[in-house]
Amino acid sequence: MAEIEREAMDYDVVIVGAGPAGLSAAIRLKQLDADLSVVVLEKGSEVGAHILSGAVLDPSGLDTLLPDWRNMGAPIKTEVKEDNFYVLGPAGQMRIPNWPMPPLMNNHGNYIVSMANVCRWMAGVAEGLGVEIFPGMSCSEVVYGDNGQVSGVVAGEFGRNPDGTPGPSYEPGMILRGKYVFLAEGVRGSLSKQVMAKYELGKGKCAQKFGLGMKEIWEIDPAKHREGTVTHTMGWPLGSNAGGGSFIYHLENNQVYVGFVVHLNYENPHLFPYMEFQRFKHHPMVAELLEGGKRVAYGARAISEGGWQSIPKTAFPGGVLLGCSAGLVNVPRIKGNHNAMFSGIHAAEAAHDAIKAGRSGDELNEYDDALRSGPVGKDLKKVRNVKPMWSRWGMMPSLVLGGLDMWTNNIVGFSFFGTLRHKKSDAASTGEASKFPKIDYPKPDGKISFDRLTNVSFSGTNHAESQPCHLQLRDPSIPISVNLAKYDEPAQRYCPAGVYEILEDEAGKPRFQINFQNCVHCKTCDIKDPSQNINWTTPQGGDGPNYPNM
């Protein structure tokens, strides 16, 4: 096959991903030197279209980047007024008082926000400084230089046939070259995976751990609305089947964010995370809040949960990993946006100094050092044992011991436990179906709980059917010969969008069906497939969910 000819454009810095990390980097670069050429490439149809986050925003990162953001029209208005923590049982709840909580768990001074809208606003600030932002531009390939360094990306390729060959309206895309390339793709980014493998960035670190976060936006009865109230729960319905919990955030306009997180290291392959979320909403405390309201949006995404122990080396020849591509979420706080912003700031400062010194294409180790020794490292190191405790000992022991560990880390910078390591990957944690009971889930009622395909229609998801399937099987036989036989093919259940099905062919034999048009780009399949047979790649630009206010 002849090599594809592509036009090329050169920049000082190429940034892949218009989330809080990528946009913070772009803004900081232009603050440092208005003459630097900076481009941001975003696979969503617009900035914010693929952004899904809780979100209670710790403004510390934004305070550093844009100290005057409160006077700049930022869509950050709802300050947290009340913090609630509950452990749920099937019919009731027990409130955990706030006073024994470590100070870092306090949400006062934080804001309930739509990160999609915050990113749209940040994009406007960046463009005002001269940053070029191109939405609808999926980055499909890493471009390497003569010395093996990352020198750019291929973006904007359109028009391939389902078999991967160029179609009649094929556009080859462009090569965007940079002195440095910042990968800010979010969790389990397709280019980040390649770069991490090529340069062995995870060597000596714990395997990254993940959760699946699902979220709905509801408009509720104004009489039940409590603007600024933040509620987190643990316990029912997951019980001992999986770690995880929920969030309920009351923002403005009588809306609430209702979310549910399932840690992906669960063993029982019969577990159905989406149905656990739907069942959760029927808890009396939650059902009473939602009755009479209406769901207006739905989405899902994976969350990096490995924390301090799992952060890979973040600098590689020619570029760096930012934000969730590096895994910077503080799990007990359920916050990562502030750390994403700090990572963008540190990367911009390291690249600016390097370019000013005449460097390019080398390793920005100054960035990696700043990330670990600065506010991000301080934030994550204090909570480093909470997730491994939960994985080893379950919810209640980790609640007590994790709280103690956070207190000692917060007060004296010391842990009685040292640094606990994560064990096997989430994929390897999956057990054989024959060793676990099946779980009977109640049928959604269509009022408070909904089937997957109905909810996916509230995500604005669309993929052109004429393109190649972006969910690639390394071996097409494995879903039936291995995963179905051994694990009852958990892809049928762990996907929150109903992408994967087991159907029967004309001879009555099972076959594996991939409905890639439903994909909300959460990446759970890439993470949880027990055979690690599914490779999530980017579809053509602009396809996927179109989240309005997530």
Side-chain angles (χ1 to χ4, degrees):
M1 182 174 169
E3 187 174 341
I4 297 170
E5 291 187 11
R6 295 183 169 98
E7 295 182 13
M9 294 181 67
D10 292 322
Y11 291 87
D12 289 313
V13 180
V14 174
I15 301 172
V16 180
L23 291 170
S24 294
I27 290 169
R28 186 63 182 140
L29 282 162
K30 294 299 263 187
Q31 288 174 337
L32 292 166
D33 186 348
D35 292 330
L36 286 174
S37 56
V38 180
V39 64
V40 178
L41 305 166
E42 166 56 40
K43 68 182 174 69
S45 60
E46 63 170 346
V47 173
H50 291 178
I51 297 292
L52 186 147
S53 184
V56 171
L57 177 67
D58 174 344
S60 57
L62 197 56
D63 286 339
T64 302
L65 179 69
L66 296 165
D68 197 36
W69 62 265
R70 291 169 179 81
N71 298 315
M72 295 173 65
I76 304 173
K77 309 294 183 186
T78 306
E79 191 166 356
V80 175
K81 298 174 184 174
E82 184 178 344
D83 247 339
N84 299 309
F85 299 87
Y86 292 97
V87 175
L88 301 186
Q93 63 276 346
M94 177 182 72
R95 182 169 181 184
I96 302 172
N98 293 64
W99 61 264
M101 293 283 181
L104 59 89
M105 297 295 288
N106 191 326
N107 275 308
H108 290 274
N110 298 330
Y111 294 82
I112 301 169
V113 301
S114 158
M115 279 310 296
N117 289 336
V118 171
C119 287
R120 291 181 178 103
W121 170 77
M122 290 179 70
V125 173
E127 288 179 321
L129 294 171
V131 175
E132 295 181 42
I133 300 178
F134 298 135
M137 291 283 277
S138 285
C139 296
S140 53
E141 293 180 39
V142 178
V143 176
Y144 296 98
D146 294 338
N147 297 317
Q149 81 279 18
V150 172
S151 62
V153 295
V154 174
E157 188 177 41
F158 290 89
R160 286 192 180 272
N161 293 318
D163 64 1
T165 59
S169 58
Y170 176 69
E171 298 177 24
M174 296 184 66
I175 295 174
L176 293 104
R177 289 191 293 245
K179 294 173 181 173
Y180 295 101
V181 176
F182 292 179
L183 298 179
E185 300 175 287
V187 172
R188 201 76 165 193
S190 53
L191 302 188
S192 302
K193 276 193 308 181
Q194 296 174 38
V195 167
M196 288 179 70
K198 178 178 176 63
Y199 299 112
E200 298 182 312
L201 300 182
K203 189 174 182 180
K205 307 295 182 182
C206 291
Q208 186 58 263
K209 307 295 286 184
F210 299 92
L212 169 59
M214 297 157 284
K215 177 181 173 182
E216 295 172 356
I217 303 177
W218 281 73
E219 290 180 0
I220 64 168
D221 180 347
K224 302 176 184 178
H225 188 250
R226 301 288 183 270
E227 185 172 308
T229 297
V230 165
T231 298
H232 292 107
T233 78
M234 296 178 289
W236 190 88
L238 290 173
S240 61
N241 284 325
S246 81
F247 59 86
I248 302 172
Y249 302 155
H250 292 242
L251 61 159
E252 58 266 27
N253 301 321
N254 299 314
Q255 289 193 335
V256 293
Y257 294 148
V258 182
F260 198 78
V261 177
V262 177
H263 300 170
L264 288 177
N265 63 347
Y266 62 83
E267 295 180 327
N268 186 343
H270 302 297
L271 188 84
F272 198 155
Y274 175 84
M275 291 306 296
E276 296 285 350
F277 176 30
Q278 298 308 303
R279 182 158 63 169
F280 156 77
K281 290 184 293 175
H282 284 278
H283 188 277
M285 183 182 81
V286 185
E288 191 279 329
L289 177 70
L290 300 181
E291 281 171 359
K294 66 176 182 178
R295 158 219 46 184
V296 296
Y298 167 74
R301 62 163 289 182
I303 305 165
S304 59
E305 294 186 339
W308 176 256
Q309 300 91 317
S310 299
I311 299 174
K313 183 178 179 182
T314 56
F316 51 85
V320 297
L321 301 172
L322 301 184
C324 282
S325 290
L328 306 181
V329 171
N330 183 313
V331 173
R333 296 184 74 200
I334 322 180
K335 291 179 180 60
N337 291 303
H338 63 301
N339 286 338
M341 292 179 183
F342 278 123
S343 74
I345 293 167
H346 294 322
E349 291 171 350
H352 165 262
D353 291 347
I355 292 169
K356 189 176 177 182
R359 292 161 50 194
S360 68
D362 59 342
E363 291 190 18
L364 293 172
N365 290 314
E366 306 91 332
Y367 162 67
D368 194 78
D369 294 341
L371 197 69
R372 296 176 194 278
S373 63
V376 175
K378 290 181 173 66
D379 187 51
L380 296 182
K381 205 167 183 181
K382 292 176 183 177
V383 301
R384 65 191 181 277
N385 289 324
V386 174
K387 169 64 175 171
M389 283 177 175
W390 196 328
S391 299
R392 293 180 190 199
W393 303 320
M395 182 184 72
M396 292 310 294
S398 70
L399 193 62
V400 175
L401 296 176
L404 171 65
D405 196 54
M406 286 189 285
W407 268 110
T408 60
N409 270 292
N410 191 73
I411 295 172
V412 295
F414 168 78
S415 170
F416 291 107
F417 302 93
T419 298
L420 298 176
R421 293 184 64 80
H422 300 298
K423 296 184 178 179
K424 47 193 172 185
S425 71
D426 293 335
S429 297
T430 311
E432 295 182 21
S434 62
K435 297 178 180 178
F436 293 89
K438 290 193 174 183
I439 304 173
D440 184 27
Y441 291 99
K443 185 178 179 181
D445 68 357
K447 297 177 182 178
I448 290 178
S449 52
F450 312 96
D451 65 80
R452 277 186 296 187
L453 295 186
T454 298
N455 242 357
V456 169
S457 70
F458 281 77
S459 67
T461 296
N462 181 64
H463 294 85
E465 296 188 21
S466 58
Q467 66 182 300
C469 175
H470 65 281
L471 303 162
Q472 300 173 353
L473 300 180
R474 294 183 172 92
D475 182 342
S477 71
I478 281 179
I480 301 302
S481 65
V482 178
N483 286 358
L484 182 61
K486 193 172 181 180
Y487 306 103
D488 193 27
E489 186 43 275
Q492 302 174 85
R493 292 173 293 279
Y494 60 57
C495 174
V499 169
Y500 303 102
E501 293 182 282
I502 298 292
L503 304 175
E504 287 189 357
D505 63 17
E506 295 176 356
K509 294 182 178 180
R511 67 178 179 86
F512 191 58
Q513 171 86 11
I514 302 177
N515 306 304
F516 75 86
Q517 299 88 348
N518 296 352
C519 179
V520 294
H521 297 197
C522 73
K523 322 282 182 66
T524 302
C525 56
D526 194 295
I527 296 161
K528 186 60 177 172
D529 176 44
S531 300
Q532 287 294 275
N533 188 48
I534 300 173
N535 182 35
W536 195 99
T537 64
T538 52
Q540 67 182 21
D543 287 4
N546 284 280
Y547 295 137
N549 301 304
M550 287 290 193

